[in-house]
Amino acid sequence: MPTKRSALIVLLLLLAACSPRAVESETLDTPRAPTTLAETAHGERCDVPAEVFVAEDIRMYCAMPGDVQAFLARESACQHFAGEEAYDEDRARELAYAIHESCDDRARRFNQLLQRHADNCLVHTELMLLGTRNELMLDADSRALPNPCPRGM
């Protein structure tokens, strides 16, 4: 009988922790700051901005050069705002502005990065995965680039 009672108490505590009020207080009361989620290839800590929230993007963020990191944060913001709902006119204006700021020229920027890092296998591979996941189109110049990765990778 004591086992059932303790199991019930644990279950109730878990439910209370997951209640909307508990989640609301965690998300609304604390500002979103960069979170240290990853390490660089050299074992150093790396701050991943809060805008980067997809697991695959977090995984690759610290291994990328600065220009690719900036694109990744911008692309993550674009994906986030594009999926938001405009529930009134003010929100629709906010979303339109945010989408304009983060999504404009995304394909051009993506292709520029592919061309700038055309000789880096890691960057090429990660950008191609990101492009596939986020439906970024390759331009003719990027399609003509040779694959920098050795055969078998």
Side-chain angles (χ1 to χ4, degrees), residues 22-56:
V23 172
E24 181 179 296
S25 67
E26 287 177 16
T27 56
L28 296 180
D29 295 342
T30 56
R32 291 182 66 186
T35 308
T36 304
L37 293 172
E39 292 185 358
T40 65
H42 306 294
E44 302 160 354
R45 300 296 273 171
C46 172
D47 288 334
V48 179
E51 294 84 19
V52 180
F53 57 90
V54 176
E56 292 89 354

PDB file of all heavy atoms in Angstrom, residues 22-56:
ATOM      1  N   ALA A  22       2.612  26.325 -14.215  1.00  0.00           N
ATOM      2  CA  ALA A  22       4.037  26.140 -13.960  1.00  0.00           C
ATOM      3  C   ALA A  22       4.840  26.498 -15.194  1.00  0.00           C
ATOM      4  O   ALA A  22       5.854  27.186 -15.114  1.00  0.00           O
ATOM      5  CB  ALA A  22       4.324  24.695 -13.545  1.00  0.00           C
ATOM      6  N   VAL A  23       4.406  26.062 -16.355  1.00  0.00           N
ATOM      7  CA  VAL A  23       5.109  26.362 -17.593  1.00  0.00           C
ATOM      8  C   VAL A  23       5.050  27.850 -17.876  1.00  0.00           C
ATOM      9  O   VAL A  23       6.027  28.470 -18.270  1.00  0.00           O
ATOM     10  CB  VAL A  23       4.518  25.543 -18.760  1.00  0.00           C
ATOM     11  CG1 VAL A  23       5.099  25.996 -20.079  1.00  0.00           C
ATOM     12  CG2 VAL A  23       4.772  24.068 -18.544  1.00  0.00           C
ATOM     13  N   GLU A  24       3.889  28.480 -17.640  1.00  0.00           N
ATOM     14  CA  GLU A  24       3.723  29.907 -17.875  1.00  0.00           C
ATOM     15  C   GLU A  24       4.691  30.711 -17.020  1.00  0.00           C
ATOM     16  O   GLU A  24       5.335  31.635 -17.484  1.00  0.00           O
ATOM     17  CB  GLU A  24       2.282  30.302 -17.578  1.00  0.00           C
ATOM     18  CG  GLU A  24       1.986  31.758 -17.822  1.00  0.00           C
ATOM     19  CD  GLU A  24       0.531  32.050 -17.525  1.00  0.00           C
ATOM     20  OE1 GLU A  24      -0.321  31.491 -18.224  1.00  0.00           O
ATOM     21  OE2 GLU A  24       0.275  32.822 -16.590  1.00  0.00           O
ATOM     22  N   SER A  25       4.825  30.347 -15.753  1.00  0.00           N
ATOM     23  CA  SER A  25       5.713  31.108 -14.881  1.00  0.00           C
ATOM     24  C   SER A  25       7.165  30.947 -15.298  1.00  0.00           C
ATOM     25  O   SER A  25       7.947  31.873 -15.188  1.00  0.00           O
ATOM     26  CB  SER A  25       5.523  30.689 -13.426  1.00  0.00           C
ATOM     27  OG  SER A  25       5.960  29.366 -13.237  1.00  0.00           O
ATOM     28  N   GLU A  26       7.539  29.799 -15.805  1.00  0.00           N
ATOM     29  CA  GLU A  26       8.907  29.596 -16.263  1.00  0.00           C
ATOM     30  C   GLU A  26       9.197  30.398 -17.517  1.00  0.00           C
ATOM     31  O   GLU A  26      10.261  30.966 -17.666  1.00  0.00           O
ATOM     32  CB  GLU A  26       9.161  28.114 -16.554  1.00  0.00           C
ATOM     33  CG  GLU A  26       9.267  27.248 -15.336  1.00  0.00           C
ATOM     34  CD  GLU A  26       9.434  25.792 -15.715  1.00  0.00           C
ATOM     35  OE1 GLU A  26       9.753  25.509 -16.870  1.00  0.00           O
ATOM     36  OE2 GLU A  26       9.239  24.944 -14.842  1.00  0.00           O
ATOM     37  N   THR A  27       8.255  30.435 -18.449  1.00  0.00           N
ATOM     38  CA  THR A  27       8.535  31.068 -19.730  1.00  0.00           C
ATOM     39  C   THR A  27       8.292  32.563 -19.722  1.00  0.00           C
ATOM     40  O   THR A  27       9.003  33.298 -20.386  1.00  0.00           O
ATOM     41  CB  THR A  27       7.689  30.422 -20.839  1.00  0.00           C
ATOM     42  OG1 THR A  27       6.318  30.513 -20.486  1.00  0.00           O
ATOM     43  CG2 THR A  27       8.080  28.989 -21.064  1.00  0.00           C
ATOM     44  N   LEU A  28       7.316  33.054 -18.978  1.00  0.00           N
ATOM     45  CA  LEU A  28       6.995  34.468 -19.024  1.00  0.00           C
ATOM     46  C   LEU A  28       7.789  35.293 -18.030  1.00  0.00           C
ATOM     47  O   LEU A  28       8.069  36.454 -18.267  1.00  0.00           O
ATOM     48  CB  LEU A  28       5.494  34.679 -18.788  1.00  0.00           C
ATOM     49  CG  LEU A  28       4.573  34.080 -19.838  1.00  0.00           C
ATOM     50  CD1 LEU A  28       3.127  34.346 -19.486  1.00  0.00           C
ATOM     51  CD2 LEU A  28       4.885  34.642 -21.218  1.00  0.00           C
ATOM     52  N   ASP A  29       8.162  34.724 -16.908  1.00  0.00           N
ATOM     53  CA  ASP A  29       8.834  35.498 -15.878  1.00  0.00           C
ATOM     54  C   ASP A  29      10.334  35.622 -16.106  1.00  0.00           C
ATOM     55  O   ASP A  29      10.941  36.561 -15.632  1.00  0.00           O
ATOM     56  CB  ASP A  29       8.597  34.880 -14.497  1.00  0.00           C
ATOM     57  CG  ASP A  29       7.127  34.952 -14.093  1.00  0.00           C
ATOM     58  OD1 ASP A  29       6.395  35.757 -14.701  1.00  0.00           O
ATOM     59  OD2 ASP A  29       6.732  34.206 -13.187  1.00  0.00           O
ATOM     60  N   THR A  30      10.929  34.672 -16.788  1.00  0.00           N
ATOM     61  CA  THR A  30      12.362  34.716 -16.979  1.00  0.00           C
ATOM     62  C   THR A  30      12.682  35.147 -18.407  1.00  0.00           C
ATOM     63  O   THR A  30      12.104  34.645 -19.360  1.00  0.00           O
ATOM     64  CB  THR A  30      12.999  33.325 -16.730  1.00  0.00           C
ATOM     65  OG1 THR A  30      12.365  32.377 -17.581  1.00  0.00           O
ATOM     66  CG2 THR A  30      12.834  32.903 -15.292  1.00  0.00           C
ATOM     67  N   PRO A  31      13.588  36.116 -18.568  1.00  0.00           N
ATOM     68  CA  PRO A  31      13.945  36.528 -19.925  1.00  0.00           C
ATOM     69  C   PRO A  31      14.699  35.423 -20.635  1.00  0.00           C
ATOM     70  O   PRO A  31      15.411  34.633 -20.014  1.00  0.00           O
ATOM     71  CB  PRO A  31      14.839  37.751 -19.692  1.00  0.00           C
ATOM     72  CG  PRO A  31      15.347  37.603 -18.297  1.00  0.00           C
ATOM     73  CD  PRO A  31      14.311  36.829 -17.541  1.00  0.00           C
ATOM     74  N   ARG A  32      14.531  35.372 -21.950  1.00  0.00           N
ATOM     75  CA  ARG A  32      15.223  34.356 -22.737  1.00  0.00           C
ATOM     76  C   ARG A  32      16.628  34.842 -23.035  1.00  0.00           C
ATOM     77  O   ARG A  32      16.830  35.783 -23.775  1.00  0.00           O
ATOM     78  CB  ARG A  32      14.463  34.089 -24.031  1.00  0.00           C
ATOM     79  CG  ARG A  32      13.144  33.391 -23.794  1.00  0.00           C
ATOM     80  CD  ARG A  32      12.433  33.099 -25.061  1.00  0.00           C
ATOM     81  NE  ARG A  32      13.184  32.137 -25.829  1.00  0.00           N
ATOM     82  CZ  ARG A  32      12.866  31.751 -27.052  1.00  0.00           C
ATOM     83  NH1 ARG A  32      11.815  32.257 -27.631  1.00  0.00           N
ATOM     84  NH2 ARG A  32      13.594  30.882 -27.696  1.00  0.00           N
ATOM     85  N   ALA A  33      17.585  34.210 -22.437  1.00  0.00           N
ATOM     86  CA  ALA A  33      18.979  34.556 -22.658  1.00  0.00           C
ATOM     87  C   ALA A  33      19.637  33.440 -23.447  1.00  0.00           C
ATOM     88  O   ALA A  33      19.114  32.335 -23.519  1.00  0.00           O
ATOM     89  CB  ALA A  33      19.679  34.723 -21.312  1.00  0.00           C
ATOM     90  N   PRO A  34      20.792  33.734 -24.043  1.00  0.00           N
ATOM     91  CA  PRO A  34      21.495  32.656 -24.720  1.00  0.00           C
ATOM     92  C   PRO A  34      21.761  31.512 -23.747  1.00  0.00           C
ATOM     93  O   PRO A  34      22.062  31.749 -22.586  1.00  0.00           O
ATOM     94  CB  PRO A  34      22.805  33.302 -25.177  1.00  0.00           C
ATOM     95  CG  PRO A  34      22.515  34.755 -25.215  1.00  0.00           C
ATOM     96  CD  PRO A  34      21.477  34.996 -24.153  1.00  0.00           C
ATOM     97  N   THR A  35      21.628  30.317 -24.227  1.00  0.00           N
ATOM     98  CA  THR A  35      21.807  29.144 -23.395  1.00  0.00           C
ATOM     99  C   THR A  35      23.029  28.378 -23.864  1.00  0.00           C
ATOM    100  O   THR A  35      23.186  28.143 -25.043  1.00  0.00           O
ATOM    101  CB  THR A  35      20.570  28.225 -23.501  1.00  0.00           C
ATOM    102  OG1 THR A  35      19.419  29.005 -23.255  1.00  0.00           O
ATOM    103  CG2 THR A  35      20.647  27.101 -22.520  1.00  0.00           C
ATOM    104  N   THR A  36      23.897  28.013 -22.949  1.00  0.00           N
ATOM    105  CA  THR A  36      25.056  27.212 -23.304  1.00  0.00           C
ATOM    106  C   THR A  36      24.587  25.787 -23.497  1.00  0.00           C
ATOM    107  O   THR A  36      24.214  25.117 -22.540  1.00  0.00           O
ATOM    108  CB  THR A  36      26.133  27.293 -22.213  1.00  0.00           C
ATOM    109  OG1 THR A  36      26.471  28.660 -22.009  1.00  0.00           O
ATOM    110  CG2 THR A  36      27.360  26.512 -22.602  1.00  0.00           C
ATOM    111  N   LEU A  37      24.567  25.345 -24.728  1.00  0.00           N
ATOM    112  CA  LEU A  37      24.042  24.026 -25.044  1.00  0.00           C
ATOM    113  C   LEU A  37      25.058  23.110 -25.707  1.00  0.00           C
ATOM    114  O   LEU A  37      24.818  21.940 -25.857  1.00  0.00           O
ATOM    115  CB  LEU A  37      22.840  24.167 -25.996  1.00  0.00           C
ATOM    116  CG  LEU A  37      21.613  24.828 -25.410  1.00  0.00           C
ATOM    117  CD1 LEU A  37      20.602  25.080 -26.507  1.00  0.00           C
ATOM    118  CD2 LEU A  37      21.017  23.969 -24.325  1.00  0.00           C
ATOM    119  N   ALA A  38      26.148  23.674 -26.159  1.00  0.00           N
ATOM    120  CA  ALA A  38      27.052  22.863 -26.958  1.00  0.00           C
ATOM    121  C   ALA A  38      28.501  23.238 -26.673  1.00  0.00           C
ATOM    122  O   ALA A  38      28.780  24.210 -25.987  1.00  0.00           O
ATOM    123  CB  ALA A  38      26.736  23.049 -28.435  1.00  0.00           C
ATOM    124  N   GLU A  39      29.384  22.462 -27.232  1.00  0.00           N
ATOM    125  CA  GLU A  39      30.807  22.749 -27.142  1.00  0.00           C
ATOM    126  C   GLU A  39      31.378  22.819 -28.542  1.00  0.00           C
ATOM    127  O   GLU A  39      30.881  22.174 -29.465  1.00  0.00           O
ATOM    128  CB  GLU A  39      31.532  21.661 -26.353  1.00  0.00           C
ATOM    129  CG  GLU A  39      31.169  21.634 -24.888  1.00  0.00           C
ATOM    130  CD  GLU A  39      31.986  20.631 -24.113  1.00  0.00           C
ATOM    131  OE1 GLU A  39      32.820  19.917 -24.717  1.00  0.00           O
ATOM    132  OE2 GLU A  39      31.810  20.561 -22.891  1.00  0.00           O
ATOM    133  N   THR A  40      32.432  23.595 -28.698  1.00  0.00           N
ATOM    134  CA  THR A  40      33.108  23.675 -29.984  1.00  0.00           C
ATOM    135  C   THR A  40      33.931  22.408 -30.181  1.00  0.00           C
ATOM    136  O   THR A  40      34.050  21.575 -29.282  1.00  0.00           O
ATOM    137  CB  THR A  40      34.028  24.904 -30.042  1.00  0.00           C
ATOM    138  OG1 THR A  40      35.073  24.731 -29.080  1.00  0.00           O
ATOM    139  CG2 THR A  40      33.263  26.186 -29.777  1.00  0.00           C
ATOM    140  N   ALA A  41      34.525  22.299 -31.345  1.00  0.00           N
ATOM    141  CA  ALA A  41      35.366  21.136 -31.632  1.00  0.00           C
ATOM    142  C   ALA A  41      36.564  21.071 -30.694  1.00  0.00           C
ATOM    143  O   ALA A  41      37.123  20.010 -30.468  1.00  0.00           O
ATOM    144  CB  ALA A  41      35.839  21.186 -33.083  1.00  0.00           C
ATOM    145  N   HIS A  42      36.953  22.224 -30.120  1.00  0.00           N
ATOM    146  CA  HIS A  42      38.101  22.282 -29.226  1.00  0.00           C
ATOM    147  C   HIS A  42      37.715  22.086 -27.766  1.00  0.00           C
ATOM    148  O   HIS A  42      38.530  22.271 -26.875  1.00  0.00           O
ATOM    149  CB  HIS A  42      38.820  23.615 -29.394  1.00  0.00           C
ATOM    150  CG  HIS A  42      39.197  23.907 -30.809  1.00  0.00           C
ATOM    151  ND1 HIS A  42      40.118  23.168 -31.513  1.00  0.00           N
ATOM    152  CD2 HIS A  42      38.724  24.837 -31.668  1.00  0.00           C
ATOM    153  CE1 HIS A  42      40.217  23.642 -32.739  1.00  0.00           C
ATOM    154  NE2 HIS A  42      39.377  24.657 -32.861  1.00  0.00           N
ATOM    155  N   GLY A  43      36.445  21.763 -27.505  1.00  0.00           N
ATOM    156  CA  GLY A  43      35.984  21.517 -26.154  1.00  0.00           C
ATOM    157  C   GLY A  43      35.580  22.762 -25.394  1.00  0.00           C
ATOM    158  O   GLY A  43      35.286  22.696 -24.208  1.00  0.00           O
ATOM    159  N   GLU A  44      35.570  23.924 -26.048  1.00  0.00           N
ATOM    160  CA  GLU A  44      35.159  25.163 -25.396  1.00  0.00           C
ATOM    161  C   GLU A  44      33.641  25.240 -25.388  1.00  0.00           C
ATOM    162  O   GLU A  44      32.977  24.730 -26.271  1.00  0.00           O
ATOM    163  CB  GLU A  44      35.738  26.360 -26.154  1.00  0.00           C
ATOM    164  CG  GLU A  44      37.252  26.338 -26.244  1.00  0.00           C
ATOM    165  CD  GLU A  44      37.770  27.225 -27.363  1.00  0.00           C
ATOM    166  OE1 GLU A  44      36.955  27.768 -28.138  1.00  0.00           O
ATOM    167  OE2 GLU A  44      38.987  27.372 -27.463  1.00  0.00           O
ATOM    168  N   ARG A  45      33.080  25.932 -24.374  1.00  0.00           N
ATOM    169  CA  ARG A  45      31.632  26.127 -24.300  1.00  0.00           C
ATOM    170  C   ARG A  45      31.208  27.102 -25.382  1.00  0.00           C
ATOM    171  O   ARG A  45      31.934  28.013 -25.727  1.00  0.00           O
ATOM    172  CB  ARG A  45      31.226  26.653 -22.936  1.00  0.00           C
ATOM    173  CG  ARG A  45      31.589  25.723 -21.801  1.00  0.00           C
ATOM    174  CD  ARG A  45      30.889  24.414 -21.846  1.00  0.00           C
ATOM    175  NE  ARG A  45      29.609  24.500 -21.178  1.00  0.00           N
ATOM    176  CZ  ARG A  45      28.715  23.545 -21.219  1.00  0.00           C
ATOM    177  NH1 ARG A  45      28.949  22.459 -21.884  1.00  0.00           N
ATOM    178  NH2 ARG A  45      27.578  23.684 -20.597  1.00  0.00           N
ATOM    179  N   CYS A  46      30.025  26.913 -25.897  1.00  0.00           N
ATOM    180  CA  CYS A  46      29.514  27.740 -26.978  1.00  0.00           C
ATOM    181  C   CYS A  46      28.087  28.164 -26.649  1.00  0.00           C
ATOM    182  O   CYS A  46      27.245  27.314 -26.370  1.00  0.00           O
ATOM    183  CB  CYS A  46      29.546  26.942 -28.281  1.00  0.00           C
ATOM    184  SG  CYS A  46      28.739  27.746 -29.666  1.00  0.00           S
ATOM    185  N   ASP A  47      27.834  29.466 -26.645  1.00  0.00           N
ATOM    186  CA  ASP A  47      26.487  29.974 -26.393  1.00  0.00           C
ATOM    187  C   ASP A  47      25.673  29.918 -27.675  1.00  0.00           C
ATOM    188  O   ASP A  47      26.050  30.508 -28.682  1.00  0.00           O
ATOM    189  CB  ASP A  47      26.530  31.413 -25.883  1.00  0.00           C
ATOM    190  CG  ASP A  47      27.033  31.522 -24.461  1.00  0.00           C
ATOM    191  OD1 ASP A  47      26.877  30.536 -23.719  1.00  0.00           O
ATOM    192  OD2 ASP A  47      27.569  32.572 -24.097  1.00  0.00           O
ATOM    193  N   VAL A  48      24.587  29.203 -27.622  1.00  0.00           N
ATOM    194  CA  VAL A  48      23.674  29.107 -28.753  1.00  0.00           C
ATOM    195  C   VAL A  48      22.522  30.066 -28.477  1.00  0.00           C
ATOM    196  O   VAL A  48      21.881  29.972 -27.430  1.00  0.00           O
ATOM    197  CB  VAL A  48      23.147  27.663 -28.923  1.00  0.00           C
ATOM    198  CG1 VAL A  48      22.180  27.570 -30.087  1.00  0.00           C
ATOM    199  CG2 VAL A  48      24.312  26.705 -29.109  1.00  0.00           C
ATOM    200  N   PRO A  49      22.247  31.007 -29.389  1.00  0.00           N
ATOM    201  CA  PRO A  49      21.167  31.952 -29.130  1.00  0.00           C
ATOM    202  C   PRO A  49      19.812  31.255 -29.010  1.00  0.00           C
ATOM    203  O   PRO A  49      19.586  30.196 -29.583  1.00  0.00           O
ATOM    204  CB  PRO A  49      21.176  32.888 -30.344  1.00  0.00           C
ATOM    205  CG  PRO A  49      22.246  32.425 -31.244  1.00  0.00           C
ATOM    206  CD  PRO A  49      22.893  31.212 -30.664  1.00  0.00           C
ATOM    207  N   ALA A  50      18.912  31.883 -28.271  1.00  0.00           N
ATOM    208  CA  ALA A  50      17.584  31.310 -28.041  1.00  0.00           C
ATOM    209  C   ALA A  50      16.812  31.149 -29.348  1.00  0.00           C
ATOM    210  O   ALA A  50      15.928  30.304 -29.430  1.00  0.00           O
ATOM    211  CB  ALA A  50      16.802  32.183 -27.059  1.00  0.00           C
ATOM    212  N   GLU A  51      17.136  31.945 -30.361  1.00  0.00           N
ATOM    213  CA  GLU A  51      16.433  31.837 -31.645  1.00  0.00           C
ATOM    214  C   GLU A  51      16.668  30.487 -32.307  1.00  0.00           C
ATOM    215  O   GLU A  51      15.872  30.041 -33.124  1.00  0.00           O
ATOM    216  CB  GLU A  51      16.884  32.938 -32.620  1.00  0.00           C
ATOM    217  CG  GLU A  51      16.510  34.323 -32.209  1.00  0.00           C
ATOM    218  CD  GLU A  51      17.511  34.934 -31.234  1.00  0.00           C
ATOM    219  OE1 GLU A  51      18.651  34.446 -31.143  1.00  0.00           O
ATOM    220  OE2 GLU A  51      17.126  35.888 -30.552  1.00  0.00           O
ATOM    221  N   VAL A  52      17.806  29.882 -32.018  1.00  0.00           N
ATOM    222  CA  VAL A  52      18.149  28.589 -32.603  1.00  0.00           C
ATOM    223  C   VAL A  52      17.568  27.519 -31.689  1.00  0.00           C
ATOM    224  O   VAL A  52      18.080  27.263 -30.613  1.00  0.00           O
ATOM    225  CB  VAL A  52      19.679  28.425 -32.755  1.00  0.00           C
ATOM    226  CG1 VAL A  52      20.024  27.082 -33.357  1.00  0.00           C
ATOM    227  CG2 VAL A  52      20.249  29.562 -33.586  1.00  0.00           C
ATOM    228  N   PHE A  53      16.468  26.893 -32.138  1.00  0.00           N
ATOM    229  CA  PHE A  53      15.740  25.992 -31.249  1.00  0.00           C
ATOM    230  C   PHE A  53      15.558  24.588 -31.807  1.00  0.00           C
ATOM    231  O   PHE A  53      15.148  23.700 -31.084  1.00  0.00           O
ATOM    232  CB  PHE A  53      14.374  26.584 -30.890  1.00  0.00           C
ATOM    233  CG  PHE A  53      13.519  26.906 -32.083  1.00  0.00           C
ATOM    234  CD1 PHE A  53      12.658  25.975 -32.605  1.00  0.00           C
ATOM    235  CD2 PHE A  53      13.598  28.156 -32.682  1.00  0.00           C
ATOM    236  CE1 PHE A  53      11.878  26.270 -33.710  1.00  0.00           C
ATOM    237  CE2 PHE A  53      12.822  28.462 -33.780  1.00  0.00           C
ATOM    238  CZ  PHE A  53      11.961  27.518 -34.299  1.00  0.00           C
ATOM    239  N   VAL A  54      15.845  24.353 -33.067  1.00  0.00           N
ATOM    240  CA  VAL A  54      15.709  23.017 -33.645  1.00  0.00           C
ATOM    241  C   VAL A  54      16.960  22.212 -33.277  1.00  0.00           C
ATOM    242  O   VAL A  54      18.080  22.713 -33.384  1.00  0.00           O
ATOM    243  CB  VAL A  54      15.535  23.103 -35.178  1.00  0.00           C
ATOM    244  CG1 VAL A  54      15.485  21.730 -35.812  1.00  0.00           C
ATOM    245  CG2 VAL A  54      14.287  23.907 -35.518  1.00  0.00           C
ATOM    246  N   ALA A  55      16.759  20.988 -32.847  1.00  0.00           N
ATOM    247  CA  ALA A  55      17.871  20.163 -32.353  1.00  0.00           C
ATOM    248  C   ALA A  55      19.005  20.050 -33.371  1.00  0.00           C
ATOM    249  O   ALA A  55      20.181  20.163 -33.011  1.00  0.00           O
ATOM    250  CB  ALA A  55      17.364  18.775 -31.961  1.00  0.00           C
ATOM    251  N   GLU A  56      18.686  19.849 -34.631  1.00  0.00           N
ATOM    252  CA  GLU A  56      19.732  19.730 -35.655  1.00  0.00           C
ATOM    253  C   GLU A  56      20.523  21.022 -35.788  1.00  0.00           C
ATOM    254  O   GLU A  56      21.731  21.009 -36.000  1.00  0.00           O
ATOM    255  CB  GLU A  56      19.135  19.362 -37.028  1.00  0.00           C
ATOM    256  CG  GLU A  56      18.558  17.971 -37.100  1.00  0.00           C
ATOM    257  CD  GLU A  56      17.089  17.933 -36.704  1.00  0.00           C
ATOM    258  OE1 GLU A  56      16.536  18.975 -36.258  1.00  0.00           O
ATOM    259  OE2 GLU A  56      16.484  16.867 -36.817  1.00  0.00           O
TER     260      GLU A  56
END
